[in-house]
Amino acid sequence: MADSRPAPERRARALMGVVAASALVYPVLVSAVMLVLAQLQPARGWAVGLWSVVGVLSSVGVVAAVRWGAARRVLSLWLLLGLAPPVLFELWLVWPRLAA
């Protein structure tokens, strides 16, 4: 189905989506670093939860910005596969506590 909007409007929306998505990459990176640092300190369980929530919300925001800029649904198996490394890393860090 063809988009009825003029080409400059579609291009501007796509560029705004890219700018919004790239602006949300920095909070994702900060939350990832802070999450690792919070997990290294044993008494910081609340910080792990906080930075996990911030990271997930920022990641969802990136995907939402890309979807909005493209003006269509973004269906990709690679988006789901991209969640596997962080999940495995978190499991590796938490496994000694779960096994004890």
Side-chain angles (χ1 to χ4, degrees):
M1 184 163 110
D3 195 357
S4 62
R5 291 179 295 169
E9 187 178 333
R10 286 193 313 262
R11 191 175 314 118
R13 183 173 175 149
L15 289 175
M16 285 189 289
V18 168
V19 169
S22 63
L24 288 169
V25 168
Y26 296 108
V28 170
L29 291 175
V30 168
S31 64
V33 169
M34 294 303 289
L35 181 61
V36 168
L37 292 176
Q39 289 176 348
L40 293 176
Q41 298 173 350
R44 291 274 179 112
W46 60 270
V48 172
L50 173 74
W51 288 112
S52 296
V53 169
V54 170
V56 167
L57 291 177
S58 299
S59 299
V60 169
V62 168
V63 173
V66 170
R67 283 182 64 175
W68 179 83
R72 62 180 173 204
R73 292 185 63 178
V74 178
L75 296 175
S76 174
L77 180 61
W78 294 107
L79 288 175
L80 293 176
L81 288 176
L83 294 174
V87 168
L88 292 174
F89 178 70
E90 293 296 325
L91 186 61
W92 177 68
L93 287 176
V94 177
W95 189 257
R97 292 185 184 177
L98 294 176

